[in-house]
Amino acid sequence: MSVNILLPDGSSKSYPQGVSPQMVAEDISPRLAKAAVAAEVDGQVCDLSIALGAGEHRVRILTDRDEPALEVLRHTAAHVLAQAMIRLYGPGVQYTIGPALMDDFQYGFYYDFDLPEPIGQEDLEKVEAEMRRVIQEQVPTRRREMSPGEAIALMEKLGQRYKIELIEDLVRDEKVQQVSLYEQGDFTDLCRGPHLPHTGMVKAFKLLAVAGAYWRGSEKNKMLTRVYGVAFFDEKRLAEHLTRIEEARKRDHRVLGKQLGLFLISDAVGPGLPLWLPKGTRIRMELEGWLRGELLKRGYQPVITPHIGRLDLYRTSGHYPYYQESQFPPLVERETLEKLAGEGCSCVELQQRMERGEVDGYLLKPMNCPHHIQVYKAAQRSYRDLPVRLSEFGTVYRYEQSGELNGLTRVRGFTQDDAHIFCTPEQLEGEIQSCVELTKLVLATLGLSDYRVRISLGDRSSDKYVGDPEHWALAEENIRSVVKKLGLSYVEAAGEAAFYGPKIDFMVKDCLGREWQLGTIQVDYNLPERFALEYIAADNAPHRPVMVHRAPLGSPERFIGILIEHFGGAFPLWLAPVQVAVLPVSEKVADYAASVHRRLSEAGLRSEFDDSSEKIGAKIRRSTLDKVPYMAVIGPREQEAGAVSVRSRSAGELGAKPLDDLVAGLRLEVDSKGASPLSGAPGA
RNA sequence: GCUGCUGUAGCUCAGUGGUAGAGCGCGUCCUUGGUAAGGACGAGGUCGUGGGUUCAACCCCCACCAGCAGCUCCA
């Protein structure tokens, strides 16, 4: 029996049985054999050393240029890490799991350990040094397959109880007959593989962080020590990666928000409760103002509703029972509180009675929909009125876990650019479509053109979801249909839906390639049911409307947080808190400069006048650090000519221009939300 | 919420068991300078909060609060 190998170039070769991809590579060319790091056999990435069975196989030799090879490299790097840890901290180190990461922005692999004593960031250098030793030794890796029983016996000998648990689970859940282990010198790991032939092929790596992680991701389990690292085939790519991380760090919206005076999170006010400073507010007003205009054009009716509402309202909607643990506790009226205290009611009792609905209170609203539903119900609705589209930039409060709070992207008090559309089932698909189109417009306007869509579906087996399965199926079908019709690339995620219905989420990549979840569109048959919503149809009988919840930004707080990072604080002109800085060269031209400043302000431009006694270089530097898009430098020459010397953030010095030209140019750029007629360069 | 780390002037940070410093920023004055930092002087801190150890704590110990990284969660 022989092995027939089909190569990617279409050629085929014949070998005796048991031939390995490594041998095939050697046969093709010594250079390929040297560059080979792994192989792809019949579409499966595997070790170079495996013995190929009889028959025909498609074989592709993977070198450091192939994406799947990088994953193999990182996986081996994780094993090198584990081996180094054991060498340093002794056989008492329990190693658990250590995968390669291919989609993470920073990290390339990690390994979770149960350590006899904790280690910190400062220990990583020591671990790296030991890893370099393991790499220098070029320790060969060897795959062994054995029965689960043998593997358990081996792991018992090594004292690795997490591995034993993993093997036992593989047997129980997947009924495996055989497991694979990788030997790497004195280190043996249960592992699916594949791996590099030896550790010497891990060329460039760096350990980046040490942090806690629960065993198997469950907070009920023990907290392990996770060491994160990244690895590449060469130093250059590693250096680029580290630069990219550094770049991201510099764009951190929390850092820029402070530097540029955009927002503030004050301990005196509370964690996760951002305060918008004047400059940040400017950005938000522009963004929201623009969106408000777009909503009016699309037949939305703005409403304004309060920040709190009766507990009963949220009992009816289901939010109170479903998300109690992530809400601020309810407010109870003083009189009620005093009466209950008089009856000797304890705090625990009070909470229980509120849960049972025996005591009412008020809740800081966690969602706007119950209020909007009341607005819908305020009038009798005819099918002729539908769709009713109620919009509000409504601020909601959610008690996020303390460890989750993060700048503007995860907060406890935030606004939703919310709207609720009440429509007939027949109108639903069209409404979803226009919501998707609005979200696309928002993203396009802000230059966030790299995104995909996630359709989050229910999960029949979970009890998390409420409502009629038929409605769910219908809603899911409507959503799919729209996404397909608009040709969006999408993934489906079962079990990710809201409790009341499926949703579309926009997953947007920023300029550094990091993915964020922004806009959302959710279909809801459930709340109309719970609140007994109706409209009178053409048959003169009451029917139940469907609701769409949608927020193209998601939340202005979160969205602007992401925009700060996307633009690195250099906002396009229409959003920039200060659009133009007027910089007189000396006090001699202060009057003329002041008149320029006035003229710009009167034209509706946000102008800042720097009349400090600094030299012009210092003034320019200050405006540059503030990322002001345009500067108008003014000296005697400009005064003479009624001109300004224009300097742009993106294109540098543009030379002297008549003041009228500057005003007109800036107006044009603001109104077009992008293109820069002054410099010919993009505004951002 | 959990694990680890951190908390000193408005900001970024240094520092010592004997109650504190730098740079930037801020204020005043001098300077009137042409495209990324002109000069001088000055103000500003109960060293996160509360306990404890000590003759003495910003420094050591404990608790709490907050921030950061990761995990978990996210209507």
Side-chain angles (χ1 to χ4, degrees):
Chain A
M1 291 292 273
S2 69
V3 185
N4 198 29
I5 304 288
L6 260 151
L7 294 164
D9 65 0
S11 66
S12 73
K13 293 185 176 218
S14 223
Y15 296 95
Q17 199 172 336
V19 68
S20 70
Q22 177 69 44
M23 290 150 87
V24 174
E26 276 159 15
D27 187 41
I28 296 170
S29 94
R31 245 183 86 195
L32 181 63
K34 199 154 171 281
V37 295
E40 199 179 279
V41 176
D42 300 323
Q44 278 260 315
V45 181
C46 59
D47 296 335
L48 281 172
S49 59
I50 59 153
L52 296 172
E56 191 172 80
H57 297 287
R58 281 178 299 116
V59 173
R60 182 176 153 219
I61 305 297
L62 299 174
T63 71
D64 59 14
R65 284 201 297 271
D66 300 300
E67 170 89 353
L70 186 61
E71 191 165 355
V72 176
L73 168 84
R74 289 177 173 182
H75 198 169
T76 301
H79 278 209
V80 171
L81 166 62
Q83 187 170 12
M85 289 291 287
I86 292 160
R87 284 190 184 181
L88 282 172
Y89 299 100
V93 171
Q94 299 278 325
Y95 42 99
T96 65
I97 55 161
L101 303 173
M102 298 306 288
D103 295 327
D104 194 273
F105 178 72
Q106 290 192 58
Y107 303 132
F109 64 87
Y110 67 80
Y111 213 115
D112 284 351
F113 303 97
D114 189 353
L115 298 174
E117 55 195 294
I119 61 163
Q121 188 81 33
E122 63 284 356
D123 297 303
L124 291 184
E125 256 176 63
K126 203 168 65 179
V127 179
E128 282 182 349
E130 190 60 44
M131 285 175 73
R132 272 191 285 276
R133 239 162 276 150
V134 173
I135 289 165
Q136 249 162 27
E137 287 168 24
Q138 307 205 348
V139 184
T141 57
R142 188 161 78 93
R143 183 188 174 93
R144 290 173 63 191
E145 304 210 351
M146 57 182 75
S147 71
E150 286 173 287
I152 288 174
L154 180 60
M155 285 301 165
E156 253 162 21
K157 214 167 75 195
L158 294 168
Q160 293 297 331
R161 39 176 211 281
Y162 291 90
K163 292 293 175 185
I164 295 170
E165 191 181 324
L166 288 172
I167 298 167
E168 283 169 352
D169 286 1
L170 280 172
V171 172
R172 196 189 55 229
D173 300 338
E174 295 175 36
K175 314 272 179 257
V176 295
Q177 305 292 318
Q178 254 200 339
V179 296
S180 60
L181 286 89
Y182 277 80
E183 264 180 23
Q184 182 178 308
D186 47 5
F187 171 69
T188 301
D189 199 358
L190 170 76
C191 181
R192 195 172 286 130
H195 280 281
L196 301 178
H198 63 83
T199 60
M201 296 174 87
V202 179
K203 289 284 193 279
F205 75 96
K206 181 155 181 61
L207 296 184
L208 296 167
V210 46
Y214 298 111
W215 166 235
R216 309 201 132 178
S218 166
E219 53 189 325
K220 292 187 188 74
N221 292 337
K222 183 165 182 186
M223 180 72 72
L224 305 171
T225 303
R226 174 171 297 182
V227 179
Y228 279 101
V230 72
F232 290 93
F233 281 105
D234 60 84
E235 292 290 347
K236 188 165 153 263
R237 259 176 285 183
L238 174 64
E240 281 166 7
H241 181 80
L242 296 177
T243 309
R244 207 157 47 238
I245 293 176
E246 182 61 19
E247 174 67 12
R249 206 187 55 77
K250 274 190 281 191
R251 286 167 174 261
D252 188 321
H253 76 280
R254 294 165 301 187
V255 175
L256 287 172
K258 206 177 263 182
Q259 260 168 32
L260 302 176
L262 303 180
F263 66 94
L264 169 74
I265 295 179
S266 156
D267 198 23
V269 174
L273 301 169
L275 309 178
W276 288 84
L277 300 174
K279 286 187 176 171
T281 305
R282 220 47 254 195
I283 298 170
R284 209 173 138 175
M285 278 179 63
E286 290 306 319
L287 185 64
E288 290 184 2
W290 167 65
L291 189 53
R292 280 198 170 94
E294 292 298 324
L295 294 179
L296 288 176
K297 283 189 218 164
R298 287 168 173 73
Y300 283 81
Q301 304 181 81
V303 295
I304 297 172
T305 69
H307 286 220
I308 68 174
R310 280 195 202 283
L311 207 47
D312 252 343
L313 182 69
Y314 301 102
R315 260 192 215 104
T316 307
S317 71
H319 293 110
Y320 181 61
Y322 270 89
Y323 294 101
Q324 216 184 108
E325 75 297 338
S326 50
Q327 283 160 0
F328 281 89
L331 307 158
V332 182
E333 281 175 13
R334 191 184 308 276
E335 253 178 58
T336 312
L337 219 46
E338 278 166 4
K339 185 166 154 272
L340 289 166
E343 291 165 8
C345 176
S346 73
C347 296
V348 180
E349 248 177 276
L350 172 62
Q351 203 197 334
Q352 286 165 352
R353 290 175 69 174
M354 283 202 288
E355 263 169 58
R356 288 197 298 267
E358 295 164 14
V359 177
D360 201 14
Y362 291 89
L363 204 60
L364 275 168
K365 68 176 170 184
M367 284 288 268
N368 297 305
C369 26
H371 287 174
H372 290 181
I373 283 171
Q374 300 311 308
V375 173
Y376 177 86
K377 287 180 82 161
Q380 185 163 84
R381 306 289 179 174
S382 145
Y383 71 101
R384 295 174 190 276
D385 302 329
L386 301 187
V388 170
R389 307 185 186 93
L390 303 177
S391 67
E392 176 177 21
F393 285 80
T395 303
V396 298
Y397 298 87
R398 299 178 184 177
Y399 194 84
E400 304 289 356
Q401 294 185 24
S402 60
E404 267 314 320
L405 300 175
N406 185 281
L408 288 179
T409 56
R410 197 76 185 273
V411 290
R412 285 183 176 157
F414 65 98
T415 308
Q416 295 177 317
D417 56 324
D418 213 354
H420 294 95
I421 299 170
F422 302 82
C423 65
T424 69
E426 295 72 40
Q427 291 167 331
L428 180 60
E429 197 168 310
E431 289 304 307
I432 297 173
Q433 180 167 341
S434 59
C435 291
V436 171
E437 277 163 353
L438 176 61
T439 308
K440 286 176 69 175
L441 172 72
V442 165
L443 296 176
T445 303
L446 290 155
L448 292 163
S449 48
D450 189 2
Y451 57 84
R452 66 202 173 101
V453 150
R454 184 179 65 195
I455 303 181
S456 296
L457 307 170
D459 177 359
R460 293 278 143 72
S461 60
S462 168
D463 56 0
K464 180 180 150 193
Y465 301 105
V466 297
D468 184 346
E470 266 178 52
H471 283 155
W472 273 84
L474 199 60
E476 293 178 1
E477 207 28 64
N478 287 141
I479 283 179
R480 244 187 232 113
S481 156
V482 168
V483 168
K484 279 184 187 151
K485 195 194 300 179
L486 296 179
L488 298 168
S489 75
Y490 72 99
V491 288
E492 296 195 2
E496 293 292 319
F499 72 87
Y500 48 71
K503 59 177 180 173
I504 299 175
D505 289 315
F506 281 77
M507 315 293 291
V508 182
K509 276 194 181 160
D510 68 12
C511 65
L512 294 179
R514 295 169 302 177
E515 200 167 59
W516 305 87
Q517 184 183 325
L518 296 173
T520 184
I521 298 161
Q522 311 180 354
V523 178
D524 184 358
Y525 283 93
N526 184 248
L527 284 179
E529 198 75 35
R530 282 172 176 258
F531 283 97
L533 300 186
E534 289 180 345
Y535 64 92
I536 304 301
D539 62 3
N540 199 29
H543 290 258
R544 186 128 297 160
V546 193
M547 271 174 78
V548 179
H549 310 237
R550 41 98 289 167
L553 303 176
S555 152
E557 283 85 352
R558 181 178 157 78
F559 195 87
I560 291 172
I562 290 156
L563 278 189
I564 292 170
E565 307 212 355
H566 178 65
F567 291 126
F571 282 89
L573 191 66
W574 71 284
L575 290 174
V578 176
Q579 295 174 314
V580 52
V582 176
L583 312 179
V585 157
S586 84
E587 273 170 31
K588 286 179 190 143
V589 291
D591 286 347
Y592 173 62
S595 77
V596 169
H597 169 60
R598 228 174 301 123
R599 174 74 202 287
L600 289 163
S601 303
E602 278 161 9
L605 293 160
R606 297 187 285 279
S607 168
E608 197 171 64
F609 183 34
D610 185 349
D611 60 351
S612 69
S613 66
E614 293 296 338
K615 289 166 66 160
I616 189 64
K619 292 183 183 183
I620 288 170
R621 178 179 152 80
R622 191 186 322 206
S623 290
T624 305
L625 292 176
D626 277 348
K627 302 183 192 291
V628 176
Y630 289 97
M631 296 173 219
V633 175
I634 288 161
R637 288 202 296 273
E638 286 76 19
Q639 176 166 14
E640 194 70 22
V644 293
S645 172
V646 181
R647 188 185 166 97
S648 112
R649 184 179 62 197
S650 53
E653 237 181 302
L654 300 177
K657 287 181 194 300
L659 179 53
D660 288 341
D661 288 10
L662 175 66
V663 172
L666 293 183
R667 283 278 12 134
L668 214 61
E669 183 173 340
V670 167
D671 294 341
S672 69
K673 301 192 167 43
S676 163
L678 283 167
S679 63

